[in-house]
Amino acid sequence: MPKLKSLDELKKLREQLQGDIKARTDSSTTITVGMGTCGIAAGARETMHAILAELESRGMDTHVTTVGCIGMCSKEPLVDIQQGDEPRVTYGNVNTEMVPRMIEEHLVQGNMVDEWVVGRVEG
Amino acid sequence: MNTSKTQKHRADLLVSCVHDRAPDLIPALEAEVKRRGLEGEVKVVEAGCRGFCSMGPVLLIQPDGTFYVNVQPADVPEMVEETLVKGRVVERMTYQEPSSHACALYEDISFYSKQHRIVLRNCGMLNPASVEEYIAVGGYEAVGKALFDMTPEGVIEEVKKAGLRGRGGAGFAAARKWETGRKAEGDIKYVLANGDEGDPNCFMDRALMEADPHSILEGMIIGAYAMDAHQGYIYIPYEHTLSVKTMRNAIESARAYGLIGEDILGSGFDFEVEVRVGAHSFVGGESTALMHAIEGTVSEPRPKHIHTTEVGLWGKPTCLNNVKTWNLVPEIIGKGAEWFASIGTEKSTGTQVFSLAGKINNVGLAEVPMGTTIRELIFDVGGGIPNGREFKAIQIGGPSGGAVPASLLDMPMDYETLEEAGSMMGTGGVVVLDDRSCVIDVARYFLDFLKDQSCGKCSSCREGIRYMLEMLTNITEGKGKMSDLEVLERMGKSVKISSMCGLGKSVPNPVLSTLRHFRDEYVAHIEDHKCPAGVCKALIEHYINDQCNGCGLCLRKCPQDAITGEKKELHTIDAEKCIQCGVCFDVCRFDAVGVR
């Protein structure tokens, strides 16, 4: 392992390493995937993997987590996006192909993808 | 290497307390995660101590914050299936708040939400074996800040402005010590970390070394820079094998990154540090005794009219601080003196880690701002007294501290206030006593402990402890005289003033403080031959009252066969056979056993 020769090198190393502990540090954005039996049957695991891959390729500071059945089985896989104090937005029937557009428009540009939204809850 | 800020795994499983309690837990979790095909998606982390001793092993799942207690290998398949695959909480594994209901989330648990964790900031959050995880949270950047942006005097000034007081017990101003060390003449100087925690029921230093070793090293590097020292030692008792292993591993991995050794971060500053292991004793944590131990001689104190900051280890200027003090230094340098000074009280800044033990629901380590009241610590963070019993006192500051009674529950805990109450902060050991604990018996217990810990150099300490112990033993056996109280008080005061080291000076505290706050209990023992708490065996008698429904449980449990009675009829205790062990009292479900 190379010895660190300056404070800048240390800070650069921190940048490289922070993904390893990101799950443990704060993030203003959380994406939650419904993982009830119905969600898993409808492909929630694949959707979650696609979300993780998309976020990683964009290097985004976002938490991904799972919850049990939300009770809207026909709309599974359900994905919630919570940004700061904004209302929580729920997307329905999210398959792997929808993930890049959802992340691009909602998280990067800051516009909800209206036609896929099934609900909004005030935070 | 990836430079992404995205979490690499969708969940980190932070597992604590596995070393003693569940060595098989981590292998079981890893195997189950693999079996369910969650590898690469979920990471199992062996994290250090999370401080919730009564609930261990504990498991925190991040980023969700799901918190499970008493986790055993047998729980793993269900937990992985429910929580990791299906996203559901396993209710039966969550923490039950003593006062209310189940708490699934870490942040909702009052034991944690009411703490202010600075010393313990990384404990249970990071893998102590990984310097990379420490670097990922900004570790060693305070060293960089000190070396490149600050002068040694500037570092000392910052620590002074923060008001940092040594966390080893006496609460001496850290900056003053450093300043003397800096000004002391000498080409060789040393910095030492004291990890010889001696109080019974205290376990914070050990937990810190095991959970966050790099914060201690980082503080030592900054301190060494401030004092122009280039060699450090960390003294750890040999029994604390995991502390020794973790600290040594931390030193090696920091050295590999050039964070310890020559030319740290290209600054031109050199610093070496090594772990020294020695015998464990109560007096061994005293600064001069500890230096003797590192030198390889008998671990006994010497007079300190010449300060160790001028003539210390091997006769060189030496600055010794507790591991918790060193741990706070990077935070103060990183976040600034004003931030630190804004926490706590004016004279006692920052936080204090307390180890909660005895008759309290949440046994463990709790860190709160200085000046927090005893009530907040015991009832809000500590969850109150088990089995609905009544709070009587806390013995704070270890064996050399003193008892603080219930009437002072709303007293803020800081160095000065505790001393005024006849106790002391010490390293923050708290033993909680309820109405079934006898304060005289507790004072006797501590003297019995100290009797073996006194090095014997000063006759006042060596003989004083023995005489006071003898008198207390007599009182607990009903053989005391009222005149003993005055003798105890006088003897306690003279031991205090005529002993050389901190041990002797504080030895009489348990006796003097209980005499001050619980004199009526002493009188009850001596004049009425009664132990109000029902503890001192020579003075109590167990009996069965008419609540007894003859269930026969006490009869079966009695080790002396002293209980007789027909089924469904009132039982009786044969006073001749009874040894007052209290088993019947503990097992009875109908409050039918009394003590008089």
Side-chain angles (χ1 to χ4, degrees), chain B residues 69 74-75 78-79 89-94 96:
Chain B
V69 297
D75 300 321
E78 182 188 355
M79 193 283 294
V89 171
V90 183
E91 288 283 340
R92 66 167 183 88
M93 291 171 69
T94 59
Q96 309 282 326

Side-chain angles (χ1 to χ4, degrees), chain B residues 396-507:
Chain B
I396 180 166
S400 10
V404 182
S407 57
L408 297 177
L409 256 178
D410 291 308
M411 186 180 85
M413 288 181 294
D414 58 57
Y415 289 102
E416 280 74 25
T417 322
L418 278 168
E419 209 159 318
E420 277 162 31
S423 183
M424 66 186 237
M425 180 70 84
T427 67
V430 171
V431 180
V432 183
L433 311 178
D434 68 6
D435 55 352
R436 289 268 295 156
S437 317
C438 171
V439 289
I440 303 169
D441 187 58
V442 171
R444 194 195 57 77
Y445 164 82
F446 279 124
L447 281 187
D448 194 43
F449 168 83
L450 291 163
K451 163 190 93 194
D452 301 326
Q453 302 296 327
S454 168
C455 76
K457 201 177 232 176
C458 309
S459 51
S460 55
C461 168
R462 182 186 68 231
E463 299 301 320
I465 296 176
R466 272 190 32 207
Y467 277 105
M468 288 191 290
L469 175 62
E470 203 176 300
M471 263 185 248
L472 284 192
T473 310
N474 280 341
I475 292 172
T476 56
E477 288 173 355
K479 296 181 225 156
K481 302 186 291 289
M482 280 306 283
S483 58
D484 288 351
L485 299 186
E486 203 190 320
V487 177
L488 272 173
E489 240 158 20
R490 281 216 321 262
M491 189 175 288
K493 281 176 190 158
S494 52
V495 170
K496 234 176 172 106
I497 53 172
S498 54
S499 301
M500 188 183 72
C501 83
L503 186 141
K505 287 187 202 304
S506 54
V507 147

Side-chain angles (χ1 to χ4, degrees), chain B residues 137-155:
Chain B
V137 290
Y140 289 105
E141 284 179 24
V143 163
K145 184 173 176 187
L147 293 179
F148 295 105
D149 302 341
M150 298 169 87
T151 60
E153 291 81 6
V155 170

Side-chain angles (χ1 to χ4, degrees), chain B residues 104-182:
Chain B
L105 291 180
Y106 177 71
E107 61 193 34
D108 294 341
I109 295 170
S110 55
F111 178 70
Y112 288 114
S113 65
K114 303 213 163 144
Q115 288 192 45
H116 188 129
R117 288 162 81 98
I118 300 175
V119 172
L120 305 175
R121 58 192 179 274
N122 296 324
C123 293
M125 284 297 178
L126 300 181
N127 177 357
S130 165
V131 65
E132 288 83 5
E133 290 200 355
Y134 186 70
I135 291 174
V137 290
Y140 289 105
E141 284 179 24
V143 163
K145 184 173 176 187
L147 293 179
F148 295 105
D149 302 341
M150 298 169 87
T151 60
E153 291 81 6
V155 170
I156 295 175
E157 191 53 37
E158 196 71 11
V159 173
K160 187 188 273 176
K161 271 198 286 181
L164 177 64
R165 298 174 70 163
R167 294 311 198 244
F172 190 78
R176 255 176 74 195
K177 212 184 229 182
W178 293 19
E179 216 161 22
T180 331
R182 165 133 201 107

Side-chain angles (χ1 to χ4, degrees), chain A residues 61-82:
Chain A
D61 179 359
T62 302
H63 277 164
V64 178
T65 163
T66 59
V67 288
C69 179
I70 307 169
M72 202 166 24
C73 306
S74 62
K75 298 281 184 199
E76 294 281 3
L78 286 159
V79 175
D80 276 1
I81 299 183
Q82 170 87 58

